[in-house]
Amino acid sequence: MLHSFEQLTPLPALPVVPNSWETSHELRRILQDIFINTPRLAHDVFQTKGNFYQAKPLAKHWGKDNVTVLVNAGLLTTHESGGYMNAPYLITEWADNFYLTDFPDTGHEFEVFSPHVEQHGMVDSLTIGPCCCVIEPFVGSGILLLEAVRRGNTGIGIDMSPRALAFARYNADLNGLADRVEFRLGDIQDELPAAIAEINDRPIVILANPPFEPGGEDRPKHSAAGVDGTDALEAMQKIFSGLPPIDQQKISQIHIVTFSLGRKSKQQNTAASDLVVAPIMAGMAEAFGGQCFLKELRRPSAPLDYIRNIFPNDTGEDQTRVADNIYERGYRGIHLVTVSIYCGSQSINPAEVLHWQPYRNNAFGIGPKIPFETPLHRRTMPRKNALVP
Ligand SMILES: C[S@@+](CC[C@H](N)C(=O)[O-])C[C@H]1O[C@@H](n2cnc3c(N)ncnc32)[C@H](O)[C@@H]1O
């Protein structure tokens, strides 16, 4: 059941303090202290919903002034009894940056997508150096783009949700990155080609964690991506193929994280051997005369088992619904991949290639079946799923 935009809690205004690349927001420094010195309490207050805290113990742990700053910033709510309630936002710390999003699974149509394993995987494997312009279609709360910008790039984020962009701007301000990044409201069909056309002085890198859930018309807009979960990928392919050659040449790398679905179960890498996204990615690589590489962030597994593993914070009902959509469409294997397209003659760092697999050696079952090896892969072996027939 979806709700209207007005039913969502509005984002609080960030208190105005001097803010630049050198001096990030006071609130960020307070959050950093709290997450370092009282990690369990920080998790309780900023990563769980609906808890009450007495005023005195909280002030004792965090300092009275800091608690006041958090209250003024809307990240703690005063309670009539004199204590505090936690805010209706999820606050996540990654690499010393803090990101506000909605909690997962609010049931709201315009829920702002929260950090999941896919952003983590993508950030972990992000190899872009400084001096690029990073453009992120489907930018959401800005996590990927801000991480790329933090490494010395400038950025343009595009999203059709005003609520998502309010969070992205807030997060840019909070982390002292606002002067390097801009956010544009609109459909990627219009805004992505326009942004690419504007940039003439730096190589462009495209990053995307697009919606990629199959089916799920009742799902929040951040995830639903048509019958096979490929609507957003197809839209990007169409945009890239339709760019004038002068704009195509500006793009140096494209990194996309997505589900890959397969029709067979249980065998290792069968999801990859029946990869729904491969032809789309091949089409994108072709538009740029580039090479396309897949990196597996999780080994393939049966859908429900897989969804439970990678979306542990979502409710059971939500996990089952996503998995059902996948089963209904005849898919039995699923895994999470990043797809990287290195455009034109751009050279690739050999150390990186070690862990990457050209899609043609895996996606269509041609060539040796070399198992993927990544640190993530080794940490999380899939559990056996009793629900697969
Ligand atoms: C899965 S969320 C990802 C958000 C962000 N990239 C992240 O990793 O947290 C997808 C986002 O794409 C946006 N979106 C979906 N279709 C779009 C379109 N056609 N044009 C622009 N934004 C779109 C949604 O509003 C949502 O914020």
Side-chain angles (χ1 to χ4, degrees), residues 15 26-27 29-31 33-34 55-76 84:
E26 179 196 10
L27 194 55
R29 285 196 293 274
I30 292 173
L31 287 171
D33 282 350
I34 286 172
K56 270 195 181 158
L58 209 59
K60 187 169 156 258
H61 282 297
W62 291 353
K64 209 172 167 200
D65 291 349
N66 289 344
V67 170
T68 307
V69 173
L70 291 169
V71 171
N72 289 342
L75 303 189
L76 278 176
Y84 304 102

Side-chain angles (χ1 to χ4, degrees), residues 216-227:
E217 291 75 22
D218 59 342
R219 303 278 297 135
K221 287 194 190 305
H222 63 55
S223 288
V227 172

Side-chain angles (χ1 to χ4, degrees), residues 51-267:
N51 296 332
F52 171 79
Y53 304 92
Q54 287 177 343
K56 270 195 181 158
L58 209 59
K60 187 169 156 258
H61 282 297
W62 291 353
K64 209 172 167 200
D65 291 349
N66 289 344
V67 170
T68 307
V69 173
L70 291 169
V71 171
N72 289 342
L75 303 189
L76 278 176
T77 321
T78 42
H79 191 264
E80 55 197 20
S81 68
Y84 304 102
M85 297 295 294
N86 45 10
Y89 311 106
L90 178 69
I91 303 182
T92 307
E93 181 203 20
W94 274 0
D96 294 340
N97 271 359
F98 291 87
Y99 301 103
L100 258 72
T101 60
D102 283 322
F103 278 95
D105 206 15
T106 56
H108 288 296
E109 188 177 0
F110 294 102
E111 173 187 297
V112 176
F113 193 63
S114 51
H116 282 76
V117 66
E118 72 241 39
Q119 294 108 316
H120 237 310
M122 194 137 182
V123 165
D124 274 355
S125 62
L126 206 58
T127 53
I128 52 168
C131 307
C132 300
C133 176
V134 181
I135 303 181
E136 189 185 352
F138 312 105
V139 71
S141 68
I143 295 177
L144 294 178
L145 188 64
L146 293 173
E147 176 59 30
V149 163
R150 198 171 70 88
R151 298 170 188 211
N153 299 293
T154 58
I156 301 175
I158 300 163
D159 205 290
M160 65 181 187
S161 157
R163 181 170 171 83
L165 289 192
F167 276 72
R169 290 193 180 103
Y170 185 102
N171 289 331
D173 265 336
L174 179 65
N175 294 298
L177 297 167
D179 54 353
R180 291 169 172 245
V181 73
E182 58 174 298
F183 295 101
R184 299 183 183 175
L185 179 67
D187 196 295
I188 62 150
Q189 310 275 5
D190 310 313
E191 296 299 329
L192 183 54
I196 294 167
E198 272 172 37
I199 304 299
N200 291 308
D201 56 346
R202 282 152 294 159
I204 295 177
V205 172
I206 309 274
L207 284 186
N209 172 19
F212 51 70
E213 247 179 54
E217 291 75 22
D218 59 342
R219 303 278 297 135
K221 287 194 190 305
H222 63 55
S223 288
V227 172
D228 290 320
T230 51
D231 280 10
L233 298 175
E234 280 163 5
M236 275 193 283
Q237 186 199 348
K238 215 167 144 199
I239 292 169
F240 293 140
S241 311
L243 289 175
I246 191 168
D247 285 344
Q248 281 180 343
Q249 283 161 18
K250 296 175 187 173
I251 299 176
S252 99
Q253 298 176 22
I254 301 173
H255 301 280
I256 299 171
V257 63
T258 183
F259 276 167
S260 114
L261 299 167
R263 295 197 185 274
K264 297 175 201 154
S265 64
K266 291 193 174 175
Q267 295 158 29

